[in-house]
Amino acid sequence: MGDLVDARELKKSFDGIRAVDGVSLRVAPRERVAIIGPNGAGKTTTLLMLLGAIEADAGTIRVGDHDLPAQRHQAMRSVGFAAGYLPLPDRLKVHEALRFFADLSELAEPATAVGRAIDELDIGYIRDQLCMTLSSGQRTLVGIAKATLHQPRLLVLDEPTASLDPDIALRVRDRLAALNAEHHTALLMTSHDMREVQTLTERVVFLRAGAVIADGPPAAIAADAGQASLEALFLTEAARLRERRV
């Protein structure tokens, strides 16, 4: 079985400023990978190119057996995406919103998929609540339920626990780990929480100024850089970036 993601030499500029500069990235089935780096390193831009939401200026992207952007529709059938900034239909109840997305995905048994997602995320207590009334943590949980309705082979997450209370963040991390273990869902995520990265992922791709500067297990990357931990390495890189901007 080949890689779920095979991206090579991706480049992207906005208004003449290079956001991503030659990033190559592979994600294997069942793998748990984090893309990390200081603000402005190109993490979200890279994710959005891998999802086909924005088109690369150069480079190639293959997701599963499909090339982007030409075969994006087919490729996204095996991919889920969750991020705190993605909107929900505010005037629908949670179960109605999930059923709407299940129907959009043309699932064979949408009601079953919605019930399973609600049970797995333990959000039955808000199933009849309007989306507009949800807390940020509840919206995150519903977003992950939405992204996993079709049991994707790859789940892409942009800052999945940002701004969440510790108890909700723990529930999110536990559920993501369970998805990987139970359904063999590969995880590709960004996060500024290095402890979360070390807990959830087995491999880290570290970006600086839109380019990959390290790729490997979290502990090995930190050790190779002469740092005691991944968090120490991240803080060092962030400090260097601030110094260059002064």
Side-chain angles (χ1 to χ4, degrees), residues 30 116 120-121 151 174-185:
R30 307 185 185 184
R116 181 182 61 244
E120 289 183 341
L121 271 297
Q151 294 187 307
D174 286 347
R175 185 59 209 144
L176 293 176
L179 281 169
N180 178 257
E182 296 168 9
H183 298 302
H184 304 147
T185 304

Side-chain angles (χ1 to χ4, degrees), residues 173-201:
R173 286 193 292 269
D174 286 347
R175 185 59 209 144
L176 293 176
L179 281 169
N180 178 257
E182 296 168 9
H183 298 302
H184 304 147
T185 304
L187 304 178
L188 176 62
M189 60 181 284
T190 69
S191 179
H192 282 99
D193 186 336
M194 295 302 100
R195 287 171 292 183
E196 176 174 88
V197 169
Q198 289 183 292
T199 298
L200 268 179
T201 66

Side-chain angles (χ1 to χ4, degrees):
M1 184 180 296
D3 291 323
L4 287 179
V5 175
D6 184 357
R8 303 188 185 191
E9 293 296 322
L10 299 183
K11 295 183 180 181
K12 185 67 182 179
S13 296
F14 298 100
D15 297 324
I17 298 174
R18 184 61 58 85
V20 174
D21 191 10
V23 167
S24 294
L25 172 69
R26 293 184 176 184
V27 180
R30 307 185 185 184
E31 196 174 16
R32 306 184 308 276
V33 181
I35 302 176
I36 66 172
N39 288 331
K43 303 182 299 296
T44 296
T45 300
T46 298
L47 285 190
L48 293 178
M49 285 191 290
L50 297 178
L51 292 165
I54 59 176
E55 189 170 342
D57 296 333
T60 61
I61 303 171
R62 190 167 180 81
V63 177
D65 297 323
H66 305 288
D67 295 317
L68 268 57
Q71 298 174 306
R72 180 177 187 267
H73 180 71
Q74 299 95 315
M76 291 304 107
R77 289 184 178 277
S78 63
V79 178
F81 178 46
Y85 51 79
L86 294 179
L88 294 172
D90 282 344
R91 297 188 179 277
L92 293 183
K93 296 178 181 179
V94 167
H95 73 89
E96 293 171 336
L98 292 176
R99 177 57 188 260
F100 170 75
F101 290 116
D103 288 339
L104 277 183
S105 298
E106 301 178 343
L107 299 184
E109 298 181 356
T112 299
V114 169
R116 181 182 61 244
I118 288 174
D119 289 344
E120 289 183 341
L121 271 297
D122 194 23
I123 55 174
Y125 68 102
I126 56 171
R127 71 179 308 277
D128 293 317
Q129 197 167 318
L130 287 174
C131 290
M132 68 170 63
T133 68
L134 299 177
S135 69
S136 59
Q138 290 167 339
R139 293 180 75 89
T140 296
L141 290 168
V142 173
I144 294 174
K146 165 183 170 283
T148 56
L149 283 168
H150 58 310
Q151 294 187 307
R153 296 174 62 201
L154 172 67
L155 181 59
V156 179
L157 306 119
D158 196 0
E159 297 281 351
T161 63
S163 303
L164 298 186
D165 290 338
D167 59 328
I168 300 296
L170 178 61
R171 282 180 58 193
V172 170
R173 286 193 292 269
D174 286 347
R175 185 59 209 144
L176 293 176
L179 281 169
N180 178 257
E182 296 168 9
H183 298 302
H184 304 147
T185 304
L187 304 178
L188 176 62
M189 60 181 284
T190 69
S191 179
H192 282 99
D193 186 336
M194 295 302 100
R195 287 171 292 183
E196 176 174 88
V197 169
Q198 289 183 292
T199 298
L200 268 179
T201 66
E202 58 193 325
R203 188 174 133 236
V204 165
V205 178
F206 205 123
L207 300 186
R208 178 202 291 155
V212 177
I213 62 169
D215 185 343
I221 284 180
D224 289 346
Q227 300 289 343
S229 67
L230 195 61
E231 185 170 34
L233 174 58
F234 186 92
L235 293 172
T236 299
E237 286 294 324
R240 287 174 179 167
L241 179 62
R242 286 194 300 270
E243 289 173 1
R244 289 197 296 269
R245 289 174 174 172
V246 172

